[in-house]
Amino acid sequence: MTGAAEAFPQAVADAPEFTLNRGSWSRVVLQGTSVLLHYEPNQIEIERRRRTGPAAITSPDALRVLLDLPVNAPLPLSAVERAASDALRRLPNGAIRMDQGCVTRLAVPPIEACLAVVPARSWRVGLERAGRFAPFCSRAMLLPAPPRDLHVLRMEADFYGIGVIVDADGESHVIVPPVPFELRRFTAASWLFLEEAYQQINLLAARV
């Protein structure tokens, strides 16, 4: 299904059912599955990281520490618990700035995930795999052909808010649009998802 997967971005762009902002597409492996990810880069943060490093922060402990700090607002080290203070000193270069007895968080997520598209041969498999991305972004599956039980698929996909696109005769058709993502709580796991995606996107770009 490589051809169908590669054609998907244009199908989305042409489909009125999808409301994606401008962004980029990349094929990455996240949550144990291959996925086409539509994302918006944070160019300011990306450029900042290119100057200071590192490209990606993939330590869950580091991200938990960073989440407890305000962005670009100096915080007195005296207000930070000792265990957290020790953890701050182990953060990657460029994640924070420490001076004059204060710590300032600099790092923010380098990208925003908009839509995860999971290629699958079975819509039931597609539902399970796309469901893994529920905490992070909108979701959709890409099928190679319309299933016989299309009416069941429509009901199931609509219930879970998962979009469905079917590739038939070389053309992609939106069957069910994905439900827009609503972030209820941004956690260290949310941030780690974005960092892992960004790390892979960087590796792919370096190979081009």
Side-chain angles (χ1 to χ4, degrees), residues 62-205:
L63 295 173
R64 279 191 286 269
V65 172
L66 288 171
L67 274 177
D68 287 336
L69 300 175
V71 181
N72 293 324
L75 182 70
L77 283 171
S78 58
V80 180
E81 295 183 2
R82 182 171 181 177
S85 180
D86 292 340
L88 289 176
R89 291 175 170 80
R90 296 193 296 271
L91 290 175
N93 291 336
I96 60 171
R97 180 175 62 245
M98 297 180 70
D99 57 9
Q100 298 181 352
C102 292
V103 57
T104 304
R105 172 183 152 192
L106 304 176
V108 296
I111 65 171
E112 176 186 352
C114 304
L115 175 66
V117 183
V118 178
R121 296 194 176 278
S122 160
W123 67 261
R124 296 185 187 277
V125 172
L127 280 182
E128 188 277 324
R129 291 179 178 172
R132 302 174 190 177
F133 298 91
F136 310 116
C137 58
S138 292
R139 303 152 293 150
M141 71 176 80
L142 176 61
L143 301 174
R148 293 181 179 179
D149 51 353
L150 183 58
H151 65 290
V152 179
L153 166 58
R154 289 179 187 271
M155 290 188 296
E156 292 283 338
D158 186 66
F159 178 81
Y160 290 106
I162 296 173
V164 178
I165 197 164
V166 172
D167 181 74
D169 300 323
E171 293 186 4
S172 295
H173 305 275
V174 176
I175 305 300
V176 179
V179 171
F181 178 66
E182 293 184 12
L183 179 64
R184 291 183 172 85
R185 181 168 172 258
F186 189 76
T187 65
S190 305
W191 195 344
L192 180 61
F193 175 84
L194 300 176
E195 294 286 346
E196 290 179 340
Y198 179 64
Q199 184 179 52
Q200 293 185 51
I201 291 166
N202 269 348
L203 290 174
L204 291 171

